[in-house]
Structures are given as structure tokens and as C-alpha cells.
Amino acid sequence: MKVLIATDKPFAKTAVDGIKKVVEAAGFELALLEKYTEKQQLLDAVADADAVIIRSDVVDAEVITAAKKLKIVVRAGAGYDNVDLKAATDAGICVMNTPGQNSNAVAELVFGLLIYAVRNFFNGASGTELKGKKLGIHAYGNVGRNVARIAKGIGMELYAYDAYAPVSVMENDGVKPCRSVEELYETCDIVSLHIPATAETKQSINFDLLSKMPKGGILVNTARKEVVHETDMVKFMEARLDFKYVTDILPGNHAEMQEKFAARYFSTPKKMGAQTAEANINAGIAAAQQIVDYLLNGDNKFQVNK
Ligand code: 3PG
């Protein structure tokens, strides 16, 4: 059996070494495709793979068709919006993610971005502190819970809205649940996005919702660029000179945002929330183990296309 790691954004070497150990201990072979520049390289690499470990790499119908022997795809990470689930399901391919494995790394970056924002992008001007501010956690999953844990240490007041998570989970963590997304945005000085990109959430962070935020509001996005309505964001930042937007996912209109709002907007050049050795090791090795457990024992605990 051949397990392929196909990562445009490579894992730390220690993670690749760990994955290799797990794969070889099961008697399988490991192949590596990193930093590929053409889709054809991915199509060629998957041709004889039985299993593939990916990150934000796009596995669409064309990739599925090219992967004649493929039995399982594991997205080493949380969001699997980059995988065509229907094409995979139709081809009888199991798709999994590795929930929680990279969430601390993403949560830590939230605070890196926030401190950068409240200290005026380190330009030397007097800024503000996070302590005492109201932080709204938009979706209370694995990353949201880690954000809450860290924010408590900083001394922030915590609120969350999640359409699916039980209110008791938030209350047990000392987080005040909001009854609606509007209430979260009205209440909080800072909102941190942790929603997945789905048909329901895409472009949902729009002008109306952002308009609810109090003066001096900040939105931090370590989730997905698709959830933000980009033209509304431009309109909103033109109207609200007090508002800042910091993101770990380069918007489609980055050049325009940069040109118009340089003093209130920042994006990392390439998504780096989960780009730590620890997150790579946790998510990469979990992915390898899930592949082995599935191929040898049929364990489908983390399957997302059941
Ligand atoms: C995730 O969904 O797990 C994060 O967005 C991390 O994505 P990455 O593996 O591409 O860094």
C-alpha cells in the first residue's frame, strides 16, 4: 500500500519523519509531494496512491478520477471544504479530518494577530490592551475553546455564539453564550471567526453584521476567507474608520485592502495558523494513524462522508 503526503505547504521535517515511522511500521510505503506548483504534479502523484494525506490542498473530481487506487483521503487539519465530498463518496473513497490536532496553534495565532492590531501594527504609536475587552468567539469548536482558554489568561471577558454547540459547554468554560450572531457582534469589541466555510456561512460576515460592532471594533479571521463578504468589507471599512480587520487568510481583494486600509488591515501572506512543528506533528501523525487503522481494521471514526 502506498501512502502519499501531498502538501503544497509542507509539514515540518519532524512531522514527516513521524508519519514515515507510522506508515512503515504498518508495512506501507510513503511517498512525498511537497511545494508542487502545477496541478498535474498532484494528478501524477495520486495515480498509484492508496491513501493521501493533504492539508488545504484541493482534492476535486479531477484528482479523484486520476487516483484510481485511492481508498482514503485524510485532511490533516480541521476544515475539509477543499475536498469534493460528493466525488469522493461516489468513488467509494473515505474522507477524514483530524479534529482538534492543530487547534492550539491556530488559537495562539489569533492573539499574535490581535496584539499586532491593538498595538497599531507595531508602528510605535500608543495602542490599547486586550485585558478587560469583550472577545466574541464566533463558533465554539476546538479552536474556539482554545481561544477562550488563552483569552482568560489575558483577562478578557468572553462571549460565544455557536448554532450547534450546546450552551452548557460554553458556560462550563466561563464563556457567556449569545442567543444570536447579531448579539455577539453587538456585544463584543473583538470578534474571532472560527466558522467553517459551508453554503450557509459563505459571505455571511457582511456589511449588516459588521455594522453591529461597537466603535473601535476588530475582526480577526483565522477561519476561511470565503466566510467574509469581501466587497462589503471594503464598503464597511470605508464607512467605519475606527474598525480594523486582521486575517490569516489572504483575501481575494488583498491589493485593494492594502492600498485603502494599510493602517487598519493586515493579512499574513500564506495561511500560517496551523504552521507549527507541534501542530504538524499532531495532525500529520494522527492522519497517518487514521489511515493505518482504516486500511488494516476498517476503523472509520473520523470519516466525514459516512
Ligand atoms: C485547518 O482547517 O485545519 C486549518 O485551516 C489549517 O490549514 P492548513 O493545514 O492548510 O494550514
Side-chain angles (χ1 to χ4, degrees), residues 11 20 49 70 73 79-80 105 137 152 168 172 187 190 192 195 202 205 210 218 223 228-229 236 270 278 299 305:
F11 288 128
K20 196 170 180 347
L70 195 61
V73 177
Y80 45 88
I137 303 171
K152 256 188 252 169
S168 58
N172 287 341
T187 309
I190 298 167
S192 187
I195 45 179
K202 279 182 187 166
I205 312 305
L210 291 167
I218 301 174
V228 172
H229 193 299
F236 183 67
K270 193 161 194 170
E278 293 89 338
D299 181 349
N305 64 335

Side-chain angles (χ1 to χ4, degrees), residues 58-224:
V58 176
V59 172
D60 58 13
E62 197 185 354
V63 176
I64 299 282
T65 307
K68 297 274 177 266
K69 295 170 66 186
L70 195 61
K71 295 156 190 66
I72 175 167
V73 177
V74 181
R75 193 282 189 241
Y80 45 88
D81 46 303
N82 47 324
V83 180
D84 186 332
L85 287 190
K86 182 171 182 316
T89 307
D90 290 349
I93 296 167
C94 169
V95 181
M96 295 186 184
N97 64 351
T98 63
Q101 300 290 353
N102 59 16
S103 48
N104 179 64
V106 179
E108 286 190 13
L109 189 72
V110 167
F111 295 94
L113 289 168
L114 283 180
I115 290 172
Y116 192 45
V118 294
R119 297 304 183 97
N120 298 311
F121 305 105
F122 299 165
N123 72 356
S126 183
T128 57
E129 298 180 20
L130 295 176
K131 185 179 175 190
K133 302 297 181 301
K134 292 180 172 141
L135 175 67
I137 303 171
H138 189 168
Y140 205 66
N142 290 311
V143 183
R145 283 202 288 276
N146 276 286
V147 166
R149 174 181 53 79
I150 299 167
K152 256 188 252 169
I154 295 176
M156 302 186 82
E157 209 183 305
L158 299 176
Y159 295 81
Y161 172 75
D162 192 309
Y164 305 99
V167 158
S168 58
V169 177
M170 301 172 197
E171 285 171 343
N172 287 341
D173 290 350
V175 175
K176 292 178 192 131
C178 287
R179 278 174 307 246
S180 67
V181 70
E182 288 79 14
E183 187 187 335
L184 185 81
Y185 282 68
E186 261 160 31
T187 309
C188 297
D189 304 299
I190 298 167
V191 172
S192 187
L193 293 176
H194 302 294
I195 45 179
T198 63
E200 191 190 339
T201 63
K202 279 182 187 166
Q203 309 225 330
S204 65
I205 312 305
N206 57 24
F207 191 93
D208 284 352
L209 188 59
L210 291 167
S211 300
K212 313 256 176 235
M213 288 195 77
K215 196 168 177 333
I218 301 174
L219 182 75
V220 53
N221 184 2
T222 55
R224 289 290 180 272

